[in-house]
């Protein structure tokens, strides 16, 4: 929400500055000239739409793209109406890629009819050379392609496209560069994600993320704290700290700092009332972190702790570096320190070599931990990962049957876990008007449970005590108990 530079003061006739972020503000000013020209010719401002696939890291990157577009004068519109559509892609599973090609296919006739239209592609899929080759060959109508490491250069790339007729492609293999103080457009006024690190060094054998997001790098703690202070001053009371493996935060810093240490610093920031984070890798979840979570007033009662499989053999082949017993031991420790914590997880079904006995181990973990919810995925072969060339790939029909059994188990347990809160009063941060009923609002409890209750727009962003009246499987219908409008 904050700008460091007033675009009108920038001399775009001069050479672009070499230092960042000044260089990007220069190109934003250049793009704005083009936007003004468009407005004059067409009697309206150009419309843009950023479509996000994948995880919270991508969602956060999309906010940065939207911030830059807003700064240059674009107005937001739907994908079907936009003059500039940007797809921020994910490649973690095959179907994520397929969806992007499908959307591009839909845009092709629009672009033919409206030659001024632009289509941009960025995100994880663009870090795969095969994907870029395919786009160049079969989707020549795409205007801009860039990757995950140079997203901060968006304005510069748009300016380059506006000045030439050719497809602009800029992909970096990796980077050490983190450019601070660029604009961003938050989806919510009262909550925000914050990248605390990027990349991943774990190389789980099925996973493409370390190849497309590069090596793990932690952001400087002072920059993180400064950003959160600014967000708090701007009305944000809930923060979500983002990284592929937040538990290893700080290990690569010049002055190392633990994730638990960072959390304690963030806890001190006035105006911040809720702290969330994801994702936690079980192998790096320290006793120090468990203790900090147990003592904290602000860290939410929710931990997303992906198990992936319950079989120690499969976990070893996955290169997860923990056993079934170590995982269950960790869960026990956390539950002891934070008794009312809600636990959620990710599970992959059908990893190469997974036997019926291995799968039973996964079901056993689900029954023992009793997750509040779980994301279940069918194993997807990712070219270039060690698992893609493993023998004993599991037949599709076997995977499908296991997946259905797992889903049933997960859902039954999750609805029982959800029901235990019935009749209690919980504090809800109201996020929006309910999608299904305009007379209701929707929000979340500290443990991340979704609650709908009668109320109006004025409650959005407020913390409200709500009586949880009726459990409907994975969410509640509630009733307002008492309102506290101002964040403490
Ligand atoms: N860094 C996070 C997860 C990032 S990807 C972590 O380690 O927990 C989100 C989830 O996608 C993973 O937890 C995993 O369950 C799933 N996933 C990753 N690669 C996959 C693949 N090749 N096939 C199916 N699911 C996969
Ligand atoms: Fe992928 Fe594993 Fe890294 Fe998560 S920790 S992003 S699953 S390699
Ligand atoms: Fe997908 Fe990239 Fe996230 S591959 S899950 S968007 S890090």
């Amino acid at each position: 929400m904050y700008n460091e530079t007033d675009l009108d003061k920038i001399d775009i006739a001069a050479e672009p500055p070499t230092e960042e972020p000044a260089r990007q503000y220069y190109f934003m000013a250049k793009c704005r000239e083009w936007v003004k020209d468009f407005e004059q010719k067409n009697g309206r401002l150009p419309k843009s739409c950023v479509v996000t696939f994948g995880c919270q890291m991508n969602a956060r990157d999309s906010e940065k793209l939207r911030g830059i577009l807003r700064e240059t004068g674009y107005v937001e519109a739907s994908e079907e109406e936009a003059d500039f559509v940007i797809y921020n892609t994910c490649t973690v599973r095959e179907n994520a890629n397929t969806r992007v090609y499908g959307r591009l296919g839909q845009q092709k006739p629009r672009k033919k009819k409206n030659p001024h239209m632009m289509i941009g592609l960025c995100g994880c899929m663009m870090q795969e050379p095969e994907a870029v080759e395919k786009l160049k060959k079969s989707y020549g109508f795409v205007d801009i392609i860039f990757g995950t490491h140079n997203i901060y250069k968006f304005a510069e790339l748009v300016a380059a496209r506006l000045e030439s007729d050719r497809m602009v492609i800029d992909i970096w293999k990796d980077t050490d560069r983190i450019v601070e103080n660029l604009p961003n457009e938050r989806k919510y006024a009262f909550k925000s994600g914050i990248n605390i690190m990027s990349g991943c060094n774990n190389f789980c054998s099925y996973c493409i993320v370390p190849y497309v997001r590069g090596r793990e790098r932690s952001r400087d703690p002072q920059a993180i704290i400064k950003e959160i202070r600014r967000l708090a001053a701007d009305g944000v009371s809930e923060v979500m700290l983002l990284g592929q493996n937040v538990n290893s935060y700080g290990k690569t810093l010049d002055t190392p700092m633990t994730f638990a240490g960072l959390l304690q610093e963030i806890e001190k920031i006035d105006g911040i009332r809720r702290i969330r984070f994801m994702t936690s890798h079980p192998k790096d979840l320290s006793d120090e972190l468990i203790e900090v979570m147990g003592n904290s007033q602000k860290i939410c009662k929710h931990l997303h702790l992906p198990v992936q499989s319950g079989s120690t053999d499969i976990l070893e082949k996955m290169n997860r570096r923990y056993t079934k017993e170590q995982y269950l031991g960790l869960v026990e420790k956390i539950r002891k320190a934070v008794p009312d914590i809600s636990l959620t997880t990710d599970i992959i079904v059908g990893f190469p070599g997974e036997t019926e006995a291995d799968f039973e181990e996964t079901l056993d973990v689900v029954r023992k931990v009793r997750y509040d919810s779980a994301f279940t995925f069918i194993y997807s072969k990712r070219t270039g990962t060690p698992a893609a060339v493993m023998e004993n790939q599991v037949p599709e029909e076997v995977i499908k049957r296991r997946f259905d059994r797992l889903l049933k188990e997960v859902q039954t347990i999750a609805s029982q876990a959800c029901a235990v809160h019935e009749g209690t009063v919980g504090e809800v941060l109201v996020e929006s008007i309910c999608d299904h009923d305009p007379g209701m609002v929707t929000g979340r409890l500290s443990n991340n449970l979704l609650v709908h209750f009668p109320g109006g727009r004025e409650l959005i962003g407020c913390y409200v005590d709500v009586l949880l009246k009726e459990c409907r499987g994975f969410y509640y219908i509630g009733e307002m108990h008492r309102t506290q409008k101002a964040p403490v």
Side-chain angles (χ1 to χ4, degrees), residues 184-202:
N184 84 70
E185 173 91 20
R186 287 200 313 273
K187 186 169 174 202
Y188 297 97
F190 50 89
K191 69 170 189 176
S192 178
I194 285 118
N195 292 330
I196 62 164
M197 56 207 298
S198 59
C200 181
N201 285 352
N202 288 312

Side-chain angles (χ1 to χ4, degrees), residues 138-422:
S138 314
Y139 297 83
F141 58 92
V142 169
D143 297 278
I144 303 174
I145 297 180
F146 56 106
T148 53
H149 302 297
N150 53 349
I151 197 150
Y152 74 88
K153 274 184 72 183
F154 181 49
E156 185 168 347
L157 300 174
V158 176
R161 177 64 187 87
L162 292 171
E163 277 168 15
S164 89
D165 272 346
R166 276 177 296 134
M167 191 191 254
V168 172
I169 304 181
D170 193 9
I171 315 274
W172 298 0
K173 276 212 162 67
D174 207 342
T175 186
D176 287 331
R177 188 124 205 213
I178 300 176
V179 178
E180 305 278 356
N181 298 329
L182 281 168
N184 84 70
E185 173 91 20
R186 287 200 313 273
K187 186 169 174 202
Y188 297 97
F190 50 89
K191 69 170 189 176
S192 178
I194 285 118
N195 292 330
I196 62 164
M197 56 207 298
S198 59
C200 181
N201 285 352
N202 288 312
F203 291 95
C204 301
S205 62
Y206 50 82
C207 185
I208 195 92
V209 171
Y211 305 90
V212 293
R213 284 270 168 177
R215 294 292 58 75
E216 182 182 298
R217 276 174 304 276
S218 295
R219 234 176 116 193
D220 168 38
Q222 288 318 317
I224 297 170
I225 287 161
K226 196 168 145 200
E227 181 177 351
I228 298 179
R229 282 209 188 107
R230 277 170 139 167
L231 288 167
D234 198 32
V236 166
S237 66
E238 180 179 299
V239 288
M240 165 81 99
L241 311 178
L242 299 170
Q244 292 300 348
N245 178 12
V246 291
N247 298 337
S248 72
Y249 173 80
K251 287 185 182 159
T252 53
L253 288 171
D254 292 342
T255 325
M257 179 183 212
T258 61
F259 180 53
L262 178 71
L263 282 170
Q264 283 170 296
E265 288 306 309
I266 297 171
E267 176 116 14
K268 291 181 200 152
I269 301 176
D270 286 340
I272 297 300
R273 189 152 156 172
R274 280 184 176 181
I275 305 169
R276 299 185 186 277
F277 52 83
M278 81 189 283
T279 301
S280 287
H281 194 304
K283 81 174 164 59
D284 295 310
L285 199 135
S286 66
D287 288 349
E288 186 197 9
L289 176 61
I290 296 176
E291 196 190 320
V292 167
M293 288 179 77
N295 294 332
S296 169
Q297 299 301 309
K298 296 185 178 178
I299 300 174
C300 287
K301 307 280 183 207
H302 171 219
L303 183 66
H304 186 64
L305 196 62
V307 65
Q308 313 299 1
S309 168
S311 152
T312 296
D313 278 353
I314 295 292
L315 286 170
E316 197 183 333
K317 289 186 188 137
M318 285 178 161
N319 193 29
R320 289 291 287 180
R321 285 171 277 174
Y322 52 85
T323 62
K324 175 189 183 188
E325 289 68 32
Q326 282 168 334
Y327 183 90
L328 290 174
L330 202 53
V331 166
E332 205 174 308
K333 251 200 254 179
I334 296 158
R335 285 242 157 91
K336 217 164 143 195
V338 195
D340 46 353
I341 199 159
S342 141
L343 289 174
T344 58
T345 201
D346 292 348
I347 301 169
I348 297 176
V349 182
F351 183 83
E354 184 189 74
T355 62
E356 177 59 25
D358 290 320
F359 177 67
E360 288 286 343
E361 297 274 21
T362 299
L363 286 178
D364 187 49
V365 168
V366 168
R367 289 181 193 124
K368 287 201 165 100
V369 178
R370 300 186 56 76
Y371 292 107
D372 292 78
S373 98
F375 294 105
T376 50
F377 303 110
I378 285 179
Y379 168 71
S380 173
K381 204 178 191 175
R382 306 316 286 135
T383 310
T385 63
V389 289
M390 283 183 187
E391 284 170 12
N392 302 324
Q393 301 278 333
V394 184
E396 220 173 284
E397 6 16 295
V398 175
I399 300 185
K400 187 79 190 52
R401 277 199 299 275
R402 285 183 193 158
F403 183 82
D404 291 344
R405 280 163 67 199
L406 176 67
L407 196 64
K408 217 168 138 204
E409 194 73 44
V410 160
Q411 284 175 345
T412 309
I413 292 173
S415 63
Q416 289 165 358
C418 180
V420 302
H421 304 286
E422 204 161 286

Side-chain angles (χ1 to χ4, degrees), residues 53-58 89-92 124 208-209 212-213 244:
F53 299 89
C55 65
Q56 304 254 11
M57 313 278 282
N58 258 21
T89 63
C90 169
T91 187
V92 78
C124 295
I208 195 92
V209 171
V212 293
R213 284 270 168 177
Q244 292 300 348

